[in-house]
Amino acid sequence: MEKYKRIFVIVLDSLGIGAMPDSEKFGDKGVDTFGHILERMGTLDIPNLQKLGMINLHQAGNMTPVEKPMGRFMRVSEASNGKDTMTGHWEMMGIRTDKPFKTFTETGFPQELIAELEKRCGKRVIGNKSASGTEIIEELGEEEINTGAMIVYTSADSVLQICGNEETFDLQNLYRCCEIAREITMKDQWRVGRIIARPYVGKKKGEFRRTSNRHDYALKPTGLTAMNVLKDAGYDVISVGKINDIFCGEGVTEALHSNSSVHGMEQTIEIGKRDFHGLCFTNLVDFDALWGHRRNPEGYGQEIEKFDKNLGVLMEEMTSDDLLIITADHGNDPTYTGTDHTREYVPFISWSPAMAEGGCLEEENTFAIIGATVADNFHVKMPEGTIGHSILDKLI
């Protein structure tokens, strides 16, 4: 008999909890996303995370641990060679990535790549540099609209992003160009992790606003994951937010697009009211996209508080047949230099109404314990070549 009928895995995108031993090799010295947010803000109104053991796990600011935490928690390090979205999520489900995805932060994309993109899309490329998405639209949006050009930019991540005004570029044409970019960057020398369509509306500077019609075109996972075997065994694998994009739909039985992290939690709560059997895998991206990359610790802290309110609602929906796992895919310290992700430990916080007591667990050295534990609960064998081991016996 399986212990849990439903497992909720919620990824607080980029909520790291301190530098890993090899962080300096990634250019990240002394980083600590959650700790530095708390130091900046002093306290956060997060009663649900607090009672689950978040402050027991990582104390900072003016907040104190609770005497009897409800959850079972630990910090987890990443085995893969990277600090990006895909690497972190893929590892959760069993894939170790040793060859990092290519970044073009310093130089922009090679001229050969840009020339091929222009030829096949039928549009002149402007931008081609590392930039904030909102800032480059302010800078080049009018030129794009007036000339029919195409804004292409990157970031500290392995991404190629294309901006398109929904009124003048046309959303479907933007998606078409992104699909072309995805095909071009499959070449090994240009191996980009994700192509992202970044649609926006507005006619002039000061009026531009990005819309929720973003779409990610990720590389397919390099192997089968826990999600594949769950789906093949007949279990539900429901994705919320950008999970479906990260895994290119592999192993997903139902995909829900989210307009924000608050919306993503509302969707997860609604799923919690349903009688599904399997995994609900949620990514809440605003922590990373709106606050981490923009180096806004106050906004990040307020986003954590918004999550905590909905976390309480979800916990009220849960029964003894449910298991909750809260984690992150990397760090993005909003007090650090630059705008890149940061190489950090991530939290693993678990809870079920069936747990008799909480407490600290021994640290683990791979995110892959998550997928392996989910697979073990549903009595399915992890695919050959995956990493990780189950800790289900510690969560009952």
Side-chain angles (χ1 to χ4, degrees), residues 74-123:
M74 61 184 161
R75 68 177 188 177
V76 182
S77 58
E78 186 169 10
S80 296
N81 182 19
K83 54 177 181 177
D84 61 83
T85 298
M86 287 168 58
T87 300
H89 283 80
W90 288 5
E91 183 170 318
M92 289 178 207
M93 294 294 116
I95 293 177
R96 175 175 175 142
T97 301
D98 291 313
K99 184 178 181 181
F101 299 107
K102 292 188 179 295
T103 58
F104 298 90
T105 312
E106 302 299 325
T107 61
F109 297 102
Q111 191 52 45
E112 300 92 327
L113 188 161
I114 295 297
E116 186 172 349
L117 187 62
E118 289 179 327
K119 179 180 178 181
R120 294 184 58 182
C121 292
K123 283 182 171 286

Side-chain angles (χ1 to χ4, degrees), residues 304-359:
I304 299 172
E305 292 178 333
K306 292 176 187 177
F307 164 74
D308 193 86
K309 289 181 181 178
N310 276 322
L311 172 61
V313 178
L314 176 63
M315 290 172 68
E316 289 177 0
E317 292 290 337
M318 293 176 60
T319 73
S320 58
D321 289 331
D322 299 330
L323 174 67
L324 170 68
I325 296 173
I326 300 170
T327 190
D329 53 343
H330 49 71
N332 198 346
D333 188 338
T335 69
Y336 201 56
T337 58
T339 60
D340 194 3
H341 294 155
T342 44
R343 175 84 166 176
E344 296 185 46
Y345 290 103
V346 302
F348 177 99
I349 300 174
S350 64
W351 175 76
S352 170
M355 288 182 179
E357 59 183 4

Side-chain angles (χ1 to χ4, degrees), residues 122-318:
K123 283 182 171 286
R124 179 174 63 92
V125 166
I126 56 177
N128 190 26
K129 61 183 179 180
S130 178
S132 155
T134 52
E135 290 174 1
I136 203 165
I137 292 171
E138 282 296 298
E139 177 189 349
L140 299 175
E142 290 183 359
E143 181 180 350
E144 179 187 78
I145 292 169
N146 294 331
T147 67
M150 177 169 67
I151 301 172
V152 173
Y153 71 105
T154 188
S155 69
D157 243 351
S158 178
V159 293
L160 185 154
Q161 308 190 67
I162 303 179
C163 298
N165 187 286
E166 291 195 7
E167 297 168 345
T168 59
F169 197 133
D170 178 64
L171 195 59
Q172 294 307 314
N173 194 26
L174 173 62
Y175 292 161
R176 178 187 70 87
C177 292
C178 287
E179 289 168 1
I180 291 170
R182 176 69 283 168
E183 183 182 342
I184 292 171
T185 55
M186 293 296 287
K187 296 179 180 179
D188 199 51
Q189 69 268 32
W190 300 334
R191 188 171 180 258
V192 174
R194 283 178 296 156
I195 309 299
I196 305 178
R198 290 287 195 177
Y200 66 98
V201 293
K203 292 181 171 60
K204 61 182 181 180
K205 289 182 179 180
E207 295 181 355
F208 295 132
R209 177 179 58 82
R210 294 201 295 195
T211 74
S212 62
N213 291 319
R214 162 184 171 160
H215 188 62
D216 292 37
Y217 300 80
L219 289 173
K220 282 191 176 183
T222 53
L224 297 177
T225 72
M227 296 160 67
N228 292 104
V229 292
L230 286 169
K231 180 181 179 180
D232 290 347
Y235 293 100
D236 296 312
V237 182
I238 305 171
S239 76
V240 179
K242 66 179 185 177
I243 295 295
N244 190 61
D245 289 334
I246 293 167
F247 289 89
C248 286
E250 294 286 309
V252 175
T253 61
E254 179 185 352
L256 282 72
H257 170 76
S258 302
N259 297 328
S260 66
S261 288
V262 170
H263 183 219
M265 274 304 291
E266 290 171 349
Q267 291 171 306
T268 304
I269 291 164
E270 288 304 308
I271 293 167
K273 296 176 182 179
R274 292 162 42 182
D275 186 28
F276 76 92
H277 190 188
L279 171 67
C280 175
F281 195 4
T282 298
N283 173 280
L284 305 177
V285 72
D286 287 353
F287 300 98
D288 185 55
L290 295 186
W291 314 117
H293 285 302
R294 298 182 189 179
R295 295 303 186 246
N296 185 334
E298 291 80 12
Y300 204 134
Q302 290 163 7
E303 194 72 47
I304 299 172
E305 292 178 333
K306 292 176 187 177
F307 164 74
D308 193 86
K309 289 181 181 178
N310 276 322
L311 172 61
V313 178
L314 176 63
M315 290 172 68
E316 289 177 0
E317 292 290 337
M318 293 176 60

